[in-house]
């Protein structure tokens, strides 16, 4: 049956929520968009007039598409070149979804997005639907064809995995710039000691180049090792400028709700370095430099206002 204007409008009203669910499920904005578009095609082919609760139907279809995608994605990531990191999203991106509660904000933080990769597809689905979108266990059970007790058990297990070793730190916009400025001052000082002071003893640094931009296959671990790596990374060199296509300006920005360094060359986002900070200091530095995962950030950067750079012509 052909969709009416009302049917299309109903789907479009649900689209932002569907995209936000899919992004948390898949860790990729482009894959989230594809999943939502496939959901629309299923909606278009359905007998919409017989669907009693369209929002629930759409969520069920989308979630199951994401579960299938996660299963195939795990196989692809086994052959992925280097470390796989989620696609970072700049502040204000509608795909970040609801941010009214601390749980919702934390559920889309870059640190949690990384941790979600450790969960089974079902654990990830239950965690996302419950923690970020406040679905009841009864609703989740219907979406995933589980019983309510199983949903509760899966959520408890998933939340325990995600919470391990982390301390929640709420960071406002002013703090984001201060953290990034302090980090860049240390990183561009040419010395390791200022960086060591900012890092926790068990700090890690990891990058995702997707085989298109050089990035170490394994993580750097320990404050001194990470500090040495960062000191070298921020040391200007012609080869780095050639790789980046110019000398990037470095900005402070909020990415997935946390502080980040955004490297921009001629209006193009070349890299995003997310800083995970706890009460003790910076515990992780995660850099996304795979150009395929920065296209959306570049589009939003061009359309937004992000203030002056912290460092100009960094390399």
């Amino acid at each position: 049956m052909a969709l009416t204007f009302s049917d299309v409008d109903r789907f479009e009203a649900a689209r932002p929520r569907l995209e936000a669910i899919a992004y948390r499920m898949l860790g990729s904005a482009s894959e989230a968009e594809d999943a939502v578009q496939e959901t629309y095609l299923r909606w278009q082919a359905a007998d919409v007039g017989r669907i009693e609760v369209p929002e629930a139907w759409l969520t069920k279809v989308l979630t199951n598409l994401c579960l299938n995608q996660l299963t195939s994605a795990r196989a692809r990531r086994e052959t992925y070149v280097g470390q796989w990191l989620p696609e970072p999203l700049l502040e204000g991106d509608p795909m970040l979804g609801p941010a009214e509660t601390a749980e919702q904000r934390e559920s889309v933080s870059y640190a949690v997005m990384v941790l979600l990769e450790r969960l089974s597809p079902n654990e990830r689905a239950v965690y996302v639907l419950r923690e970020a979108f406040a679905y009841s266990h009864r609703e989740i059970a219907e979406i995933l064809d589980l019983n309510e007790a199983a949903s509760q058990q899966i959520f408890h297990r998933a939340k325990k995995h995600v919470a391990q070793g982390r301390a929640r730190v709420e960071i406002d916009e002013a703090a984001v710039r201060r953290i990034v400025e302090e980090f860049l001052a240390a990183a561009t000082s040419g010395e390791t000691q200022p960086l060591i002071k900012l890092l926790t003893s068990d700090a890690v640094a990891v990058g995702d180049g997707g085989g298109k931009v050089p990035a170490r296959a394994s993580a750097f671990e320990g404050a001194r090792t990470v500090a040495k790596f960062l000191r070298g990374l921020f040391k200007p060199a012609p080869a780095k400028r050639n790789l980046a296509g110019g000398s990037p300006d470095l900005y402070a920005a909020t990415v997935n709700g946390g502080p980040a360094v955004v490297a921009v060359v001629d209006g193009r986002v070349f890299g995003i370095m997310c800083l995970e900070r706890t009460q003790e200091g910076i515990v992780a530095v995660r850099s996304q430099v795979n150009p395929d995962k920065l296209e959306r950030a570049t589009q939003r950067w061009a359309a937004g206002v992000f203030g002056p750079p912290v460092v100009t012509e960094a390399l």
Side-chain angles (χ1 to χ4, degrees):
M1 293 180 65
L3 295 180
T4 66
F5 286 120
S6 177
D7 295 333
V8 174
D9 287 344
R10 174 161 281 184
F11 182 87
E12 290 305 320
R15 183 184 291 274
R17 177 178 57 84
L18 296 174
E19 287 188 343
I21 291 172
Y23 170 66
R24 284 171 167 83
M25 285 284 293
L26 301 173
S28 164
S30 59
E31 290 181 5
E33 289 175 336
D34 290 344
V36 172
Q37 184 58 27
E38 179 61 29
T39 302
Y40 176 74
L41 295 177
R42 303 283 180 95
W43 175 250
Q44 194 175 43
D47 186 353
V48 173
R50 301 185 66 179
I51 297 174
E52 294 183 4
V53 187
E55 288 73 16
W57 187 92
L58 291 169
T59 303
K60 183 180 180 72
V61 170
L62 175 78
T63 302
N64 281 285
L65 286 169
C66 288
L67 288 173
N68 292 337
Q69 180 75 0
L70 279 174
T71 301
S72 61
R74 291 196 168 206
R76 291 199 310 273
R77 287 170 194 172
E78 288 178 2
T79 60
Y80 191 82
V81 179
Q83 297 276 342
W84 190 96
L85 290 175
E87 181 174 346
L89 298 183
L90 296 168
E91 184 75 1
D93 192 314
M95 201 172 279
L96 288 169
E100 286 77 27
T101 68
E103 288 77 17
Q104 288 172 336
R105 292 189 293 274
E106 186 182 36
S107 72
V108 79
S109 71
Y110 206 65
V112 167
M113 293 293 291
V114 170
L115 288 168
L116 289 177
E117 287 296 309
R118 302 178 184 178
L119 303 182
S120 70
N122 260 13
E123 287 174 338
R124 189 163 184 165
V126 172
Y127 180 86
V128 167
L129 292 172
R130 179 65 178 164
E131 192 79 347
F133 296 91
Y135 280 83
S136 69
H137 284 293
R138 179 183 59 77
E139 292 170 318
I140 294 170
E142 291 175 357
I143 290 169
L144 297 177
D145 294 324
L146 305 168
N147 60 56
E148 197 168 337
S151 175
Q152 293 172 337
Q153 187 176 32
I154 291 171
F155 176 69
H156 177 74
R157 185 168 64 243
K159 192 166 185 178
K160 184 177 179 181
H161 287 322
V162 171
Q164 280 181 346
R166 293 187 305 106
R168 297 181 182 181
V169 177
E170 290 273 356
I171 299 174
D172 60 24
E173 188 175 345
V176 163
R177 186 168 184 89
R178 185 176 67 252
I179 289 166
V180 172
E181 286 177 345
E182 188 177 33
F183 173 79
L184 287 176
T188 58
S189 69
E191 301 176 1
T192 58
Q193 199 57 39
L195 280 163
I196 290 173
K197 289 181 179 178
L198 295 180
L199 300 166
T200 61
S201 61
D202 59 348
V204 297
V206 61
D208 177 352
K212 299 183 177 183
V213 176
R216 180 181 162 111
S218 57
F220 293 91
E221 299 181 356
R224 186 167 296 278
T225 301
V226 171
K228 288 181 179 179
F229 160 69
L230 292 171
R231 181 192 63 189
L233 182 66
F234 283 92
K235 185 178 181 180
K240 295 175 186 175
R241 287 193 292 274
N242 291 337
L243 180 64
S247 190
D249 293 333
L250 304 181
Y251 293 81
T254 302
V255 173
N256 287 74
V261 179
V262 180
V264 180
V265 180
D266 295 331
R268 172 178 58 87
V269 175
F270 172 75
I272 295 179
M273 179 177 283
C274 296
L275 308 177
E276 182 184 350
R277 194 172 184 278
T278 65
Q279 298 283 1
E280 291 75 32
I282 296 173
V283 69
V285 179
R286 300 184 179 94
S287 302
Q288 183 56 262
V289 289
N290 183 343
D292 295 340
K293 298 182 183 180
L294 295 170
E295 292 179 358
R296 187 179 179 93
T298 293
Q299 292 170 2
R300 291 200 62 80
W301 190 268
V305 178
F306 295 92
V310 177
V311 178
T312 57
E313 298 186 349
L315 302 179

